[in-house]
Amino acid sequence: ATSGSQHGTQLYFTILETQWPIVYGPEYNIGFMGFEKLHPFDAGKWGRVYAFLKESGMIRDDTTVRPREASQEDLLVVHSKQYIDSLRLSSFIEGINEWSVNVASITEVPPVALLPNFIVQKKVLRPFRFQTGGTILAAKMAIDRGWAINIGGGFHHCCGDRGGGFCAYADITLAIKFLFERVPGVNRAMIVDLDAHQGNGHARDFMDDSRVFIMDVYNREIYPHDGFAKRAIKRRVELFSFVEDAEYLQLVRTHLEGSLNEFTPDIIVYNAGTDILEGDPLGCLSITAQGIIERDQIVFQKARTCGIPIMMVTSGGYQKDTARIIADSVLNLHQLGLINCEAAERCPPPVLESEAPTKKKIQKYALHHYPGVKVMVESGQD
């Protein structure tokens, strides 16, 4: 339902019944000349989560959804033109004289400032734009299917006019605004942000918007210390460093229950950061892998019990172990029946070209068993 005032977007498209509402594209992963290793973020995390899920037999390439890249027009639904211009080329000389100071600051990798912008566009910002497209699509699929997961996204430090903390586009804000503008009946959203860091980006974007309720559980002792953004958080749970499973899970349970008693949303956007894992160099909390799996289960269970569509993004997580934990958590949700897609599970695998009966194979078989059929096969007759 697109009104005349809206731009035509390619990000919403028809999904087959035989596809899980699980969104991922190989374009998500960041890798160029080792620069990605200068930040603690595992820039190939998303691909490894997907590989683990495929390995488990739950999903295949043909039963999952590949998103499209968010265009400038899509991004301008939330971002100021000035901010978008600060990330991209502003001269007609293809990137030769354009450097990437703002992107270096956002990704917290100073040497990126020395790279021509056309390289940074392709190797850093393009993956972020694909993940943003994935979040926007997953939110729509959650409304249609009851749940969806984007194996990526969750850039909760970015708001309409600035990025930061490895977040270049405000994918959560965009996903919610797209729903409000384009999907009839979606008027209220709840953001449940359980990344270790305060989600100051979407908080700034929805500061005065009563349609959006934000619950945020975060370590108060770490980045971003955004006092202004805190004013938008309707249910704020500030943790001290090294909180452990029992206390953390009890807080999540209690405050999720309280939030849903206060506010009934049409969708829950769940920012499921894994930087709460013990040993994470940036999160500084002490939650076990099992604690993370249980946390996700609590959130999905509550959404399903209340009959509220839920969309999950994977957000922060700075250790190699987190990809395995995210995959295990998704498998656990499936095992418990909190997520399912019967048509995808029943869908037979596509026939590989090597297995398909080629003309040569038919001719060989025909020649061997029925010599007289040779001419008929070659002439294409039955």
Side-chain angles (χ1 to χ4, degrees):
T2 304
S3 74
S5 63
Q6 293 164 355
H7 73 283
T9 184
Q10 299 294 307
L11 297 180
Y12 283 176
F13 52 90
T14 306
I15 308 302
L16 301 174
E17 276 184 19
T18 53
Q19 288 176 298
W20 288 89
I22 294 177
V23 186
Y24 168 78
E27 300 86 356
Y28 281 19
N29 302 292
I30 298 171
F32 64 108
M33 303 182 293
F35 274 97
E36 70 281 3
K37 294 182 181 137
L38 299 174
H39 190 284
F41 198 92
D42 173 9
K45 171 176 88 171
W46 310 286
R48 294 191 306 108
V49 173
Y50 186 72
F52 285 134
L53 290 175
K54 272 176 71 174
E55 221 171 80
S56 75
M58 176 180 161
I59 61 170
R60 304 190 304 259
D61 289 344
D62 63 304
T63 60
T64 47
V65 179
R66 279 183 74 164
R68 295 171 181 162
E69 181 180 0
S71 68
Q72 176 164 318
E73 270 193 307
D74 295 321
L75 298 169
L76 288 171
V77 167
V78 164
H79 289 294
S80 66
K81 179 125 181 16
Q82 190 180 359
Y83 174 68
I84 296 296
D85 286 346
S86 79
L87 298 177
R88 65 177 181 79
L89 302 179
S90 53
S91 86
F92 60 88
I93 303 169
E94 185 68 342
I96 302 305
N97 299 324
E98 298 289 339
W99 305 98
S100 308
V101 177
N102 195 26
V103 182
S105 150
I106 290 165
T107 57
E108 299 166 351
V109 182
V112 165
L114 306 176
L115 293 173
N117 186 269
F118 73 95
I119 293 176
V120 172
Q121 284 294 326
K122 188 174 175 189
K123 298 293 190 179
V124 181
L125 294 176
R126 185 170 175 267
F128 285 153
R129 286 194 294 269
F130 266 96
Q131 291 192 41
T132 297
T135 300
I136 293 167
L137 175 61
K140 170 71 163 67
M141 290 167 72
I143 297 296
D144 295 339
R145 300 281 196 91
W147 67 274
I149 295 170
N150 181 20
I151 302 179
F155 304 134
H156 65 157
H157 298 307
C158 185
C159 62
D161 57 7
R162 69 179 193 205
F166 210 70
C167 302
Y169 302 112
D171 67 319
I172 289 174
T173 308
L174 279 158
I176 292 171
K177 290 214 165 167
F178 264 67
L179 290 179
F180 286 170
E181 289 176 11
R182 293 168 183 270
V183 181
V186 181
N187 307 305
R188 289 153 68 86
M190 179 179 287
I191 297 169
V192 175
D193 195 337
L194 301 186
D195 185 274
H197 299 81
Q198 175 199 351
N200 59 325
H202 53 66
R204 282 173 170 268
D205 288 331
F206 292 119
M207 183 62 69
D208 300 309
D209 195 332
S210 61
R211 299 173 299 172
V212 179
F213 184 104
I214 299 172
M215 168 185 158
D216 200 344
V217 182
Y218 60 90
N219 184 346
R220 61 179 295 171
E221 300 179 336
I222 59 173
Y223 175 92
H225 304 291
D226 190 335
F228 175 74
K230 283 182 187 181
R231 291 162 39 188
I233 303 171
K234 303 288 196 302
R235 193 165 275 252
R236 189 164 86 230
V237 185
E238 296 193 325
L239 308 171
F240 289 97
S241 294
F242 311 115
V243 163
E244 295 182 358
D245 286 15
E247 183 186 350
Y248 177 80
L249 293 172
Q250 189 51 49
L251 286 168
V252 169
R253 235 183 237 106
T254 303
H255 288 283
L256 185 59
E257 183 86 35
S259 296
L260 287 164
N261 285 340
E262 266 180 67
F263 185 90
T264 306
D266 299 312
I267 185 169
I268 292 171
V269 175
Y270 173 35
N271 197 45
T274 43
D275 49 3
I276 62 170
L277 181 67
E278 56 194 346
D280 190 286
L282 301 186
C284 301
L285 298 175
S286 297
I287 310 304
T288 64
Q290 191 50 44
I292 290 174
I293 290 168
E294 202 174 320
R295 173 200 69 174
D296 294 351
Q297 187 180 318
I298 289 166
V299 178
F300 269 80
Q301 183 77 66
K302 191 69 190 163
R304 306 302 273 164
T305 304
C306 297
I308 300 165
I310 180 168
M311 188 274 285
M312 171 176 141
V313 285
T314 56
S315 203
Y318 305 91
Q319 299 181 81
K320 290 287 182 198
D321 299 352
T322 61
R324 176 81 261 179
I325 294 165
I326 294 166
D328 285 346
S329 179
V330 172
L331 292 169
N332 178 58
L333 295 173
H334 177 227
Q335 204 174 341
L336 295 172
L338 294 171
I339 62 173
N340 54 50
C341 180
E342 282 181 29
E345 294 184 70
R346 287 199 310 265
C347 180
V351 178
L352 296 174
E353 215 172 289
S354 57
E355 294 167 3
T358 60
K359 189 173 170 183
K360 237 177 204 165
K361 282 182 186 170
I362 295 169
Q363 286 177 338
K364 197 173 172 186
Y365 180 88
L367 273 169
H368 183 74
H369 294 281
Y370 310 103
V373 177
K374 182 186 174 193
V375 176
M376 292 165 71
V377 172
E378 284 185 342
S379 65
Q381 294 170 17
D382 293 330

